[in-house]
Amino acid sequence: MSQPTTATRDATARAADGGNVADAARLSPAMVRRAIFASVLGNGLEWFDFLIYGYFSKTIAQVFFPADNGFLSIMLTFATFAIGFFVRPLGGILVGLYADRAGRSRALSLLIISMAASTLLMGLTPGYAHIGLAAPALVVLARLLQGLSVGGQFATASAMLVEYAPPGRKMFYGSFNMTAQSFALLLSSGAGYLLTTHLTHEQLASWGWRVPFLCGALAGPLGFYIRHRVAESPEFQQLRDHGDAPPRASIRQFFRTNGRAALCAMGVIAVGAATNYVWHSYLAVYVERQLHLPLAVALRGAFFCGALNLFLFPLSGRLADRYGAYRLFYPVTIAWMICAYPLFAYVVSAPSAERLFVAQVISTVFLAAMSGAHPGMLATLFPVRSRSSGVALSYNVAVTLFGGLAPFTITGLTRLTGSSLTPAFYLIFAGFVSLALVYGTRRGRAGADDPATARSSTA
């Protein structure tokens, strides 16, 4: 007897979750394109805000956290950056539960408005010199509001994309969620480069840094309009039509049913999150404080890497569909752990714009290879009835621990050890955690042959 094809196994898993492949086939191309665009828009806005905060962290520190000690000022800025991540798991669970009950489309419409509001608050808040302690308090509030809203953004958008995907293309469709991050990197680094090279330091501190936040907030109304016109995903609609609503379950029940899947998902995300935040959010401070190079040098490289990833992430998703996401996960992660230290040593030994650019491009290729299939991998680990909440919890815990805390942790460790190679050791540690969690769970081993296998086992 011949073995079932990937498409056959994928269709079987779809049916086991209450999905209906025929419904997906009847969707018009225009509706599919609209769903893709609506799903990734919020994720792009989320990353635009995060990256802009990282690129202008030194200026934000001067405006909102003035201190005689420059190290203390930047640490307060990074602590505020991390605060938004601590509430992400809570926001992820709340939004995820809402998306699993009310639908992906409604949840995404709610999220885009909330995210735009937090971005606008960040851009309009007066500095410490004008309103005193109220200034950093409002910045913290903006970060908390954004953390709560974006907590469910990645998970709900990933669920929407995977549930719109035809058989055998889940990883490719999910990769568009990562492409949104690349587009955000392109816009944020481009805006940062233009502002830092065309404005004086006084102009940048006075009003220049606010421009990207205010522009980012304008995407809110447009995103809400587009998302409001997107039909519910076929798989969730089928589940709702059958009256198979997700049961009200406790956290204990969730982990009893999906605990191994959640651990596997955290492992999948950990090394990618660490790499993303080290080479993007932390890079601006690292370049200026450790390498003593102009910020514009890092921004030029980031802009090119953002453009490169627009093509690499979808390619990574296609390869994962063809060869198996887990079959690629293990060798790519190990290769990145081997390369992380030499790459940083190459830059630190003789800091220059050319060496930094080479390192940025190499890290970008590895990041795309690791992360292109992440949305699809996470979404296929959980059944439709608990997909948004499951992905939200696991994704946000991993990103908080290994991504959001990365700038704060690395800055502190670098100060303590005096080593400019601290980021490399951080990435190697994250790689070990990822490999241990994924391989140590049945989900990771079962998915080594085909992503659909892991999903069908949780249906």
Side-chain angles (χ1 to χ4, degrees):
M1 181 181 296
S2 62
Q3 293 295 321
T5 64
T6 299
T8 302
R9 290 195 301 266
D10 200 29
T12 302
R14 240 180 131 93
D17 268 350
N20 190 328
V21 178
D23 284 347
R26 287 196 295 267
L27 290 171
S28 68
M31 178 58 71
V32 174
R33 288 194 298 268
R34 192 182 303 154
I36 292 174
F37 183 73
S39 297
V40 303
L41 181 62
N43 201 36
L45 176 59
E46 166 197 351
W47 268 93
F48 180 83
D49 189 16
F50 278 148
L51 292 170
I52 283 295
Y53 190 98
Y55 291 149
F56 289 105
S57 56
K58 185 177 180 180
T59 303
I60 292 174
Q62 297 170 354
V63 174
F64 294 105
F65 304 97
D68 295 334
N69 188 325
F71 172 74
L72 176 61
S73 180
I74 197 67
M75 287 296 282
L76 288 173
T77 304
F78 281 146
T80 303
F81 178 78
I83 283 174
F85 285 85
F86 283 113
V87 297
R88 282 179 66 156
L90 174 61
I93 285 293
L94 295 177
V95 176
L97 290 173
Y98 178 75
D100 284 335
R101 290 186 175 279
R104 322 304 191 205
S105 184
R106 288 187 180 182
L108 289 173
S109 297
L110 175 66
L111 286 169
I112 191 70
I113 294 300
S114 178
M115 291 165 60
S118 62
T119 304
L120 183 63
L121 177 61
M122 185 71 198
L124 293 179
T125 299
Y128 182 90
H130 294 90
I131 58 175
L133 291 176
L138 288 174
V139 171
V140 171
L141 175 62
R143 295 294 301 168
L144 289 173
L145 178 61
Q146 188 195 47
L148 287 171
S149 60
V150 303
Q153 169 61 44
F154 179 90
T156 307
S158 296
M160 184 78 134
L161 288 167
V162 168
E163 289 167 7
Y164 261 94
R169 304 190 73 187
K170 295 181 186 297
M171 302 299 148
F172 176 64
Y173 270 54
S175 70
F176 286 111
N177 219 9
M178 304 304 298
T179 304
Q181 297 182 4
S182 300
F183 188 65
L185 174 61
L186 198 65
L187 291 179
S188 59
S189 58
Y193 178 78
L194 290 175
L195 290 170
T196 54
T197 55
H198 289 78
L199 296 180
T200 65
H201 175 75
E202 291 72 21
Q203 291 173 323
L204 197 63
S206 176
W207 57 269
W209 70 271
R210 299 179 184 272
V211 173
F213 287 97
L214 297 177
C215 291
L218 297 177
L222 174 62
F224 180 82
Y225 172 75
I226 295 173
R227 284 181 167 180
H228 192 65
R229 299 179 64 232
V230 174
E232 191 52 75
S233 76
E235 290 185 11
F236 183 84
Q237 187 61 50
Q238 184 72 12
L239 189 73
R240 185 161 55 185
D241 290 344
H242 287 171
D244 192 9
R248 295 185 180 276
S250 64
I251 296 295
R252 180 183 299 178
Q253 290 172 321
F254 171 84
F255 278 106
R256 185 181 298 124
T257 305
N258 299 293
R260 288 184 179 274
L263 286 175
C264 181
M266 292 177 196
V268 167
I269 288 296
V271 65
T275 303
N276 212 341
Y277 281 80
V278 166
W279 280 100
H280 294 150
S281 295
Y282 178 69
L283 185 65
V285 172
Y286 185 78
V287 165
E288 289 189 308
R289 295 176 67 90
Q290 299 298 323
L291 303 181
H292 306 291
L293 295 173
L295 176 60
V297 170
L299 293 174
R300 283 198 301 266
F303 183 85
F304 178 83
C305 292
L308 186 62
N309 266 339
L310 292 177
F311 304 96
L312 291 180
F313 278 133
L315 175 62
S316 177
R318 282 189 179 276
L319 293 175
D321 279 324
R322 181 172 182 178
Y323 298 106
Y326 291 89
R327 283 183 173 178
L328 299 179
F329 171 81
Y330 292 110
V332 170
T333 300
I334 293 172
W336 176 231
M337 293 168 63
I338 294 173
C339 293
Y341 181 88
L343 195 62
F344 272 94
Y346 169 74
V347 177
V348 171
S349 61
S352 67
E354 293 75 17
R355 290 196 172 205
L356 179 63
F357 179 78
V358 170
Q360 285 178 284
V361 172
I362 293 175
S363 67
T364 293
V365 173
F366 273 105
L367 179 62
M370 287 188 295
S371 304
H374 277 176
M377 292 173 74
L378 266 62
T380 54
L381 280 169
F382 300 92
V384 174
R385 70 187 73 246
S386 59
R387 177 167 292 155
S388 288
S389 51
V391 174
L393 177 64
S394 51
Y395 172 79
N396 285 298
V397 169
V399 169
T400 298
L401 294 177
F402 294 94
L405 287 175
F408 182 86
T409 303
I410 294 174
T411 300
L413 290 176
T414 301
R415 173 84 170 194
L416 182 65
T417 63
S419 174
S420 297
L421 296 173
T422 300
F425 294 112
Y426 185 85
L427 293 177
I428 294 171
F429 170 73
F432 276 117
V433 172
S434 282
L435 292 174
L437 286 177
V438 175
Y439 187 76
T441 59
R442 181 171 59 87
R443 301 298 183 232
R445 294 196 299 274
D449 294 326
D450 180 50
T453 305
R455 174 166 167 208
S456 61
S457 64
T458 60

